[in-house]
Amino acid sequence: MAVDYTVIVVYLAGMLAMGWWGMRRAKSKAEFLVAGRRLGPWMYSGTMAAIVLGGASTIGGVGLGYRYGLSGAWMVFTIGLGLLALSVFFSARIARLKVYTVSEMLDLRYGGRAGVLSGVVMWAYTLMLAVTSTIAYATIFDVLFDLNRTVAIVLGGSIVVAYSTLGGMWSITLTDMVQFVVKTIGVLLLLLPIAVVKAGGFGEMKAELPGAYFEPLGIGGETIFTYVLIYTFGMLIGQDIWQRVFTARSDKVARYGGTVAGTYCLVYALAGAVIGTAAKVMYPKLPSADSAFATIVKDELPVGIRGLVLAAALAAVMSTSSGALIACATVANNDIWSRLRGAVRAGAGDEPHDEVRGNRAFILVMGVAVILIAIALNDVVEALTVAYNLLVGGLLVPILGGLLWRRGTGAGALAAVGAGGLSVVGLMWGYGILANEPVYYGLLSSLVVYVGVSLATKPTDAAVLAAWRERLAGRGVEPVAQATPVPQ
């Protein structure tokens, strides 16, 4: 294992070095939070693919393949579909807004009436997303170094908090590009073909496993529908995803770069399911489907390659963890703390050094909180379900309504956030956290309340809508100053 350990240690050291390098570039709020809005298509595509394909997509995707066969690809597949929909239909408009958070977009659209409440819901989502990613370090470091759970979470979480705090989005962008390359090589180019060959090829896999393992809808129609509601729609509105859209150099980069990333996700989904199916042939009686990834890597890959593939799994976890962490800190600082404090000094926006220091402090504080919660929490699936149920049930309707329906009002948006969020929480209490009903009925109640209250209240002020249309067109906001060129 010495060679494998060396590969992992070099990788982790490289992540910290990227954080230090990113710190030297992050001199303003825009550079720290959205990489100066200067990413070209190559870096944008890589970092977008990296953040959406985390530990759940890699380790969990292989686990679903182990349990259901090729139809286990549906979870990650719906993530890819959501990213494609976001990129094709909404990303250009989102990028032109030149904001930092989803709540700022809601304030622009509805006249400053939905920010704090939507910020609280989005903060809860990003916090739980960061926690679930941090918990995943326990699985990887247990395979690597036989560390106990708490030490593994502290080690992995501390590295992510360190480089994210140092350089913000610049550091995360640089590390995500490395992570994207490592994941592509480790999972697609190495683990996938090796797993298929070790299982005897597709012919042997079909002979050994039931036919249901090769049916495209074998996982069940209701499960696929739930995945679409949670993950496809979740991709459309999450702060962690939007904050990456804000990094695009132009609306064209956001559209076409995101389309490339979404297509990559579809390929990654199928690869994970095939690897899991191959693992089922080799290890038919594993105690847990989620251990399929670690088992096949540990037992079937040669020295060196094993270290690279485990680094790929670590990369998947770190990319999602860092993206969720900076999103959580951005929302906490800009949408909640700054608004509740109320007495923001005139001209504070013209002092980028102070802005950077404040956001850096929030990343550090949120990072410590995430590590502590991850140590205390055991069930990753329940935490992730709570996060996405709150996001989709509480925010999907007012966000998409604001983008698509002119008659939507601030009162309708606030009522929809409250009704959807409370319905989701109450139904999870009644039906159970993992039940499908909370997101179904929560989303329905949010839609009914949004439409009803919007029609019953005074339309949004014409001046607010006019300013909104100007921002959507890329006007009405000062252009971001261009600094040193960024690699494509």
Side-chain angles (χ1 to χ4, degrees):
M1 294 290 287
V3 175
D4 297 328
Y5 290 160
T6 301
V7 171
I8 298 298
V9 170
V10 169
Y11 169 76
L12 294 176
M15 296 300 98
L16 292 174
M18 291 290 186
W20 183 262
W21 192 87
M23 182 178 68
R24 304 178 64 183
R25 296 188 65 104
K27 303 299 184 182
S28 69
K29 179 180 179 180
E31 289 174 332
F32 191 82
L33 294 182
V34 290
R37 308 186 196 274
R38 298 201 303 274
L39 297 192
W42 166 238
M43 291 191 74
Y44 179 86
S45 297
T47 57
M48 182 62 86
I51 188 176
V52 300
L53 296 173
S57 300
T58 303
I59 299 171
V62 171
L64 287 172
Y66 184 88
R67 187 177 296 136
Y68 300 106
L70 298 186
S71 67
W74 272 105
M75 184 188 77
V76 183
F77 202 82
T78 56
I79 290 174
L81 291 178
L83 186 51
L84 284 171
L86 173 71
S87 302
V88 172
F89 298 112
F90 300 108
S91 63
R93 283 183 283 179
I94 293 170
R96 287 194 293 264
L97 288 173
K98 294 291 189 290
V99 295
Y100 294 98
T101 68
V102 175
S103 293
E104 287 183 41
M105 166 263 168
L106 292 172
D107 276 352
L108 284 172
R109 170 60 181 81
Y110 296 115
R113 301 183 60 187
V116 174
L117 182 58
S118 63
V120 170
V121 175
M122 188 64 76
W123 174 78
Y125 156 73
T126 54
L127 178 70
M128 296 309 294
L129 185 61
V131 167
T132 57
S133 301
T134 304
I135 291 174
Y137 294 125
T139 300
I140 298 173
F141 283 112
D142 176 58
V143 175
L144 287 174
F145 306 119
D146 196 26
L147 295 177
N148 72 45
R149 183 178 183 277
T150 299
V151 175
I153 289 173
V154 171
L155 175 60
S158 297
I159 292 172
V160 169
V161 171
Y163 72 69
S164 300
T165 302
L166 285 172
M169 187 60 82
W170 266 127
S171 295
I172 293 171
T173 296
L174 296 170
T175 54
D176 276 0
M177 277 305 300
V178 175
Q179 290 158 357
F180 170 72
V181 172
V182 171
K183 280 192 291 190
T184 300
I185 296 173
V187 175
L188 298 185
L189 302 184
L190 293 176
L191 183 58
L192 174 60
I194 290 173
V196 172
V197 170
K198 292 282 188 178
F202 285 104
E204 182 67 18
M205 291 163 62
K206 287 185 177 180
E208 291 289 331
L209 297 174
Y213 267 71
F214 301 92
E215 294 178 1
L217 304 180
I219 198 171
E222 184 179 357
T223 299
I224 295 171
F225 180 68
T226 302
Y227 284 159
V228 170
L229 276 185
I230 293 177
Y231 297 115
T232 301
F233 287 132
M235 288 296 106
L236 298 180
I237 59 175
Q239 170 67 26
D240 52 323
I241 309 302
W242 277 41
Q243 199 156 342
R244 293 308 173 95
V245 176
F246 300 150
T247 66
R249 185 174 61 201
S250 67
D251 54 359
K252 290 183 179 180
V253 169
R255 180 184 292 115
Y256 296 116
T259 301
V260 171
T263 304
Y264 178 90
C265 291
L266 303 183
V267 175
Y268 201 88
L270 184 59
V274 171
I275 293 168
T277 304
K280 183 67 175 179
V281 174
M282 291 182 279
Y283 309 98
K285 295 182 180 180
L286 288 177
S288 169
D290 286 340
S291 66
F293 180 91
T295 302
I296 196 172
V297 170
K298 190 174 182 179
D299 293 348
E300 302 296 336
L301 298 186
V303 173
I305 299 297
R306 179 171 50 206
L308 183 59
V309 173
L310 286 172
L314 194 57
V317 175
M318 283 188 163
S319 58
T320 301
S321 180
S322 59
L325 176 58
I326 193 172
C328 177
T330 302
V331 171
N333 186 19
N334 293 273
D335 292 338
I336 300 175
W337 172 247
S338 293
R339 295 168 191 263
L340 295 179
R341 185 178 55 189
V344 178
R345 215 174 33 205
D350 297 326
E351 300 180 19
H353 181 70
D354 288 344
E355 293 278 357
V356 170
R357 187 162 54 238
N359 283 290
R360 183 173 283 139
F362 265 86
I363 290 179
L364 181 60
V365 171
M366 290 296 106
V368 172
V370 164
I371 291 172
L372 294 176
I373 295 172
I375 291 171
L377 199 62
N378 287 316
D379 198 316
V380 178
V381 175
E382 288 193 357
L384 194 62
T385 301
V386 170
Y388 274 98
N389 281 354
L390 283 173
L391 177 70
V392 174
L395 292 179
L396 178 68
V397 169
I399 291 173
L400 294 189
L403 289 170
L404 300 174
W405 190 39
R406 181 175 178 177
R407 186 61 180 81
T409 66
L414 279 172
V417 173
L422 291 174
S423 297
V424 164
V425 172
L427 290 168
M428 283 192 295
W429 183 271
Y431 283 98
I433 290 176
L434 299 180
N436 293 327
E437 287 83 358
V439 71
Y440 294 167
Y441 297 130
L443 191 57
L444 180 62
S445 65
S446 179
L447 177 61
V448 170
V449 169
Y450 178 73
V451 173
V453 174
S454 292
L455 292 176
T457 53
K458 183 179 178 181
T460 304
D461 186 84
V464 172
L465 287 177
W468 166 251
R469 287 193 294 270
E470 286 291 298
R471 292 292 285 267
L472 280 179
R475 301 184 294 268
V477 62
E478 291 296 321
V480 178
Q482 297 296 310
T484 54
V486 178
Q488 301 303 303

